[in-house]
Amino acid sequence: MKLTIDDVRSRFIKHLGGEQPGSVYTSPGRINLIGEHTDYNGGYVFPGAVEQGIIAEIRPNGTRTIKAYSIDLKDYDEFSIDDEEYPHGTHFRFIYGVAREMMALGIPVEGFDTAFAGDIPLGAGMSSSAALESTFAYALNDLFGQGKLTQMELAKVGQTTEHKYIGTNCGIMDQFISLHGKKGQLVRLDCNNGEFELFPWRPRGYKLVLINSCVKHELAGSPYNDRRKSCENVVGAIKTFKPEVATLRDCTSEDLEKVRSEVGETDYKRAKYILEENERVLAISEALKDDDYELVGEKMYEAHEGLSKDYEIGCEETDFLVGIALDCGVTGARQMGGGFGGCTINLVRSELYNTFIEQAKTQFYEKYKKHCKVIDVVIGEGTRKLC
Ligand code: GLA
């Protein structure tokens, strides 16, 4: 992370006052190698934490009020943790939501002063909001809860905050990895039971790079939640003859064929994508054990095809960027994250890296008259206290 403790501390003192410094916590954003929209379907995901993240200084103030300053937005607000009414700014609502959900779990949260900042590009599909939630969930657990809640419980606090206070019915991937990330390791999570496995990420001769289309995806609201509904419709239809089914994870492609006409083509295609995406995560897990990065890349391209054509969460700009990757001979590329824009994730042979970046920048600018942004991936550490 480029932001330092001093960057945050100087603003904390300036905007919140007082003599005593607070404690400083940080949480990362994430990449996801493969496994998109599988999390809320009880499936597999394969994320890793990145070096970019959120950093926050927090100091209990002995009242029932949270006084919060967003350094990036130069925005200040104060709100009571006992007030039923949400603060207006979305960034403050995350903090309020986390505090309220921690209280609901019995953590005796009190008021605090905080200043926070981040270097995760917003809307890039790198989970800046999960990083914000995880920072505060971890910090409040530390400051008021004596570390009582587990990392997984803290991840669920963040997820519930998204559902109840923001309106995105997201899965658990982003908050999970923000809290559980390990330097230099990708994590394959089974969202059905919370079991996870670490995979050292050391692709000799390859690099992972994100190209941000800078098309901002808006997850809150219908498009994301609609996809989730489609999957639930299909599960509902399959349940009529297989009642034990809880999520698409428990369904086979034969089950899906049986309900095809009943659920309609759109929901059918979406569910088919999820079943195939789960298979791809497993295939990539095996390929990684064999250091077979060419197979990893092949699956990434397949995933893009599926998420763009069947799950319909792509966009023109990310399709274009994946097309450039393919033309340049890049090993694997796909749109990453919630969808409708943001970054593509690219697995590139080192000797091809410069050519690809050059081509992506030039061709993207020629077509859209705006710049895409290059973000080299370094797999970083999960949420922690800095001082
Ligand atoms: C967003 C959500 C996650 C996950 C991804 C898509 O990032 O927050 O839970 O569903 O989209 O894989």
Side-chain angles (χ1 to χ4, degrees):
M1 135 129 36
K2 280 181 238 97
L3 292 161
T4 64
I5 295 173
D6 288 344
D7 292 332
V8 176
R9 180 146 291 163
S10 60
R11 314 302 210 296
F12 180 78
I13 301 290
K14 180 168 173 211
H15 295 276
L16 280 312
E19 299 292 303
Q20 287 294 335
S23 305
V24 181
Y25 299 86
T26 186
S27 277
R30 59 121 185 83
I31 54 123
N32 186 24
L33 185 63
I34 190 95
E36 228 59 273
H37 286 256
T38 41
D39 55 356
Y40 55 80
N41 286 300
Y44 297 102
V45 292
F46 217 135
V50 291
E51 289 202 315
Q52 295 85 345
I54 296 283
I55 179 164
E57 178 146 4
I58 304 173
R59 177 182 61 198
N61 59 22
T63 72
R64 305 291 294 163
T65 301
I66 298 175
K67 300 180 176 180
Y69 181 70
S70 160
I71 296 170
D72 302 326
L73 299 172
K74 299 190 175 42
D75 192 16
Y76 175 85
D77 200 0
E78 42 182 79
F79 39 91
S80 162
I81 47 173
D82 301 317
D83 202 339
E84 293 296 321
E85 202 174 310
Y86 304 173
H88 293 302
T90 311
H91 40 293
F92 297 129
R93 217 178 305 156
F94 286 115
I95 300 172
Y96 169 84
V98 166
R100 297 281 292 187
E101 290 307 307
M102 301 283 288
M103 286 159 71
L105 290 175
I107 303 299
V109 176
E110 290 175 22
F112 54 86
D113 300 344
T114 181
F116 58 98
D119 60 358
I120 309 168
L122 300 180
M126 294 177 72
S127 296
S128 50
S129 55
L132 186 58
E133 291 147 11
S134 304
T135 306
F136 280 90
Y138 185 95
L140 300 190
N141 192 38
D142 185 44
L143 292 167
F144 303 112
Q146 295 170 327
K148 189 174 129 208
L149 299 183
T150 64
Q151 304 292 89
M152 199 52 139
E153 285 169 323
L154 296 177
K156 287 184 182 155
V157 163
Q159 184 191 23
T160 310
T161 299
E162 292 278 348
H163 291 194
K164 284 174 51 179
Y165 304 84
I166 307 296
T168 307
N169 296 329
C170 65
I172 195 70
M173 169 170 69
D174 304 348
Q175 293 80 7
F176 165 84
I177 193 62
S178 191
L179 282 147
H180 293 80
K182 287 272 166 288
K183 195 167 176 49
Q185 317 239 29
L186 297 182
V187 187
R188 191 191 67 193
L189 171 68
D190 181 345
C191 301
N192 212 21
N193 55 20
E195 283 173 12
F196 59 90
E197 194 181 333
L198 300 180
F199 284 69
W201 179 247
R202 36 158 198 257
R204 261 171 235 113
Y206 295 85
K207 287 180 196 290
L208 258 191
V209 59
L210 308 181
I211 311 276
N212 189 357
S213 67
C214 298
V215 175
K216 288 235 166 76
H217 69 159
E218 236 346 301
L219 285 194
S222 54
Y224 183 95
N225 295 347
D226 277 357
R227 300 306 182 279
R228 186 167 184 154
K229 264 225 172 73
S230 289
C231 299
E232 287 165 1
N233 285 345
V234 172
V235 170
I238 292 175
K239 256 182 194 289
T240 58
F241 60 89
K242 216 176 167 183
E244 68 276 18
V245 156
T247 63
L248 280 179
R249 174 69 179 280
D250 309 320
C251 303
T252 63
S253 45
E254 290 76 38
D255 298 334
L256 181 56
E257 287 309 322
K258 283 189 197 148
V259 298
R260 183 169 184 166
S261 58
E262 183 188 338
V263 299
E265 267 319 271
T266 302
D267 287 0
Y268 165 80
K269 274 179 13 195
R270 289 177 180 174
K272 176 170 130 323
Y273 158 80
I274 297 295
L275 298 193
E276 291 169 354
E277 185 75 348
N278 271 325
E279 292 298 320
R280 282 190 283 268
V281 182
L282 295 177
I284 282 197
S285 312
E286 288 310 308
L288 282 180
K289 286 178 182 158
D290 300 336
D291 285 333
D292 186 351
Y293 295 101
E294 294 302 312
L295 184 58
V296 171
E298 214 175 280
K299 295 288 162 193
M300 290 170 77
Y301 280 119
E302 276 178 24
H304 185 78
E305 187 77 6
L307 68 83
S308 178
K309 303 244 164 64
D310 291 338
Y311 215 62
E312 298 175 298
I313 54 166
C315 77
E316 193 194 312
E317 288 85 344
T318 53
D319 282 348
F320 185 68
L321 286 169
V322 169
I324 299 172
L326 196 58
D327 290 346
C328 288
V330 165
T331 304
R334 62 174 200 84
Q335 179 189 270
M336 188 183 78
F340 316 103
C343 293
T344 59
I345 178 166
N346 304 270
L347 180 64
V348 195
R349 283 200 312 283
S350 305
E351 67 269 21
L352 219 103
Y353 177 87
N354 288 339
T355 319
F356 167 54
I357 297 300
E358 183 60 37
Q359 283 299 320
K361 281 183 172 169
T362 317
Q363 291 189 37
F364 193 85
Y365 187 78
E366 271 169 15
K367 184 154 169 86
Y368 296 109
K369 299 290 170 276
K370 59 178 187 178
H371 295 288
C372 58
K373 298 222 167 82
V374 176
I375 306 167
D376 289 311
V377 174
V378 178
I379 305 296
E381 188 66 24
T383 307
R384 61 212 181 271
K385 183 175 181 178
L386 295 176
C387 69

